[in-house]
Amino acid sequence: LSELEALMERMKRLQEDKEDEEASQEEMATRFEKEKKESLLVISGGIWAFPHFAVLFPAFDDEIVSTDVSRYVEDPGFGYKDFARRGEDHLPTFRAQDYTWENHGFSLVNRLYSDIGHLLDEKFRMVYNLTYNTMATHEDVDTTTLRRALFNYVHCMYGIRYDDYDYGEVNQLLERSLKVYIKTVTCYPERTTKRMYDSYWRQFKHSEKVHVNLLLMEARMQAELLYALRAITRHLT
C-alpha cells in the first residue's frame, strides 16, 4: 500500500473498532501517558532521543539553519520548554475536563476583553472544521479522525489530556516523521525546513499540508490560553 492508502485504511479500521468496542478509561489513561512520555523524546530536527542512544528519523540535522530571531522578540531567551524532564515517572497532566475552553476559558476571556472570546472561538472552530473532504486524489473522505488526532497530539505535548479521547489513535495515524514535524513547527518554528515539510504525506496537496500547519498553530494557541486563563481563574478565586 502507498502511504496515503495505508493511512486511509488505518482511519477506516479505527472507525470500525470504535463502533465494535470502546477502550476503558484505564486503557485510555495508559495510552495518554505513553504518548505524553514519547512526545518528550521527540526533538526538533528529526532526532528521537532514547535513554542510551539517539535515532535520526529522518536525518534533518544537516539542513537546520541557525536562525537569529532576536530581532523579532523582546526576550530572546523566552521559548518552548518541555513540560517535564525526561526520565520523570510522574509527569504533570492538565485534565481538560477540569478547565476547558468552552466551559471556562471562553467566558473568562470575554470578561477580561469584551467580545475577544467570540472572535477566538470562531477562529478555533473554523480551522478545526476546515476540510474539503479530500485526501490527496480521494474525494468524499471524512477527515474528522485525522484532524482530531493532530489537534489532540499538540495538546498532549503540552500535557493536556481529554478523558473521552483514545490516544491510541494518535500513534496509528501520525507517523514518526510527522510527529517530528509537528513538534518542530509547534515548538521551534524557526527550525522548520522544506525537507521536513516534504518528508511526510508526500502524496497530499499543498493546501492540505498548509491546513495541518493552521491546525497546529491554533492548537498551540488554545493550549497556551488554557494554562494562562486557568492561572488567572485561580488567582481571582
Side-chain angles (χ1 to χ4, degrees):
L1 293 177
S2 69
E3 180 186 29
L4 172 62
E5 291 169 332
L7 176 58
M8 293 186 66
E9 181 63 29
R10 289 195 296 271
M11 290 173 61
K12 179 181 178 182
R13 190 168 59 247
L14 279 173
Q15 189 61 41
E16 292 173 348
D17 292 344
K18 187 177 295 184
E19 292 173 357
D20 293 339
E21 183 179 357
E22 290 189 3
S24 67
Q25 283 295 317
E26 291 75 16
E27 287 174 321
M28 290 200 290
T30 300
R31 291 170 185 174
F32 170 77
E33 290 299 323
K34 179 181 178 181
E35 199 63 49
K36 182 171 63 170
K37 289 179 180 178
E38 184 187 88
S39 73
L40 296 176
L41 302 176
V42 182
I43 303 175
S44 67
I47 298 177
W48 284 70
F50 292 92
H52 304 295
F53 57 92
V55 177
L56 290 177
F57 190 94
F60 294 130
D61 280 3
D62 58 339
E63 288 201 359
I64 295 178
V65 179
S66 178
T67 306
D68 180 15
V69 297
S70 60
R71 73 189 74 178
Y72 306 113
V73 295
E74 295 181 1
D75 181 5
F78 183 81
Y80 172 83
K81 294 186 187 303
D82 284 320
F83 61 87
R85 294 180 181 178
R86 298 182 186 90
E88 288 185 359
D89 292 330
H90 302 289
L91 305 181
T93 297
F94 184 133
R95 300 184 64 193
Q97 72 270 22
D98 294 337
Y99 198 93
T100 66
W101 165 254
E102 292 81 7
N103 297 331
H104 305 90
F106 173 80
S107 58
L108 175 60
V109 80
N110 261 345
R111 280 175 52 199
L112 300 174
Y113 191 165
S114 180
D115 292 333
I116 194 66
H118 294 286
L119 296 174
L120 288 170
D121 190 63
E122 182 181 359
K123 186 160 71 86
F124 292 146
R125 290 178 185 275
M126 181 184 68
V127 172
Y128 187 86
N129 295 321
L130 179 64
T131 179
Y132 301 128
N133 293 312
T134 63
M135 288 182 68
T137 57
H138 296 264
E139 298 182 352
D140 298 322
V141 181
D142 183 356
T143 61
T144 303
T145 304
L146 187 56
R147 284 180 278 124
R148 184 168 59 239
L150 288 164
F151 196 91
N152 286 357
Y153 182 62
V154 173
H155 280 204
C156 179
M157 288 195 306
Y158 281 82
I160 300 174
R161 179 196 169 199
Y162 295 88
D163 283 355
D164 59 349
Y165 181 69
D166 182 359
Y167 288 85
E169 295 185 9
V170 170
N171 252 350
Q172 295 191 54
L173 297 177
L174 310 183
E175 70 271 18
R176 287 189 171 186
S177 60
L178 178 52
K179 287 183 177 180
V180 169
Y181 180 78
I182 289 172
K183 185 156 188 177
T184 305
V185 169
T186 306
C187 306
Y188 311 98
E190 73 280 3
R191 300 181 189 177
T192 308
T193 66
K194 187 176 185 299
R195 189 176 175 189
M196 288 183 192
Y197 173 85
D198 292 336
S199 71
Y200 78 96
W201 290 359
R202 294 174 178 86
Q203 296 168 294
F204 280 65
K205 301 173 185 176
H206 286 298
S207 60
E208 294 169 317
K209 298 178 79 167
V210 168
H211 183 206
V212 170
N213 285 1
L214 294 175
L215 268 174
L216 302 184
M217 292 296 96
E218 294 305 319
R220 169 186 163 170
M221 183 177 187
Q222 189 177 108
E224 293 170 338
L225 278 172
L226 285 173
Y227 274 103
L229 295 172
R230 184 181 67 167
I232 294 172
T233 298
R234 288 175 174 175
H235 174 72
L236 293 176
T237 56

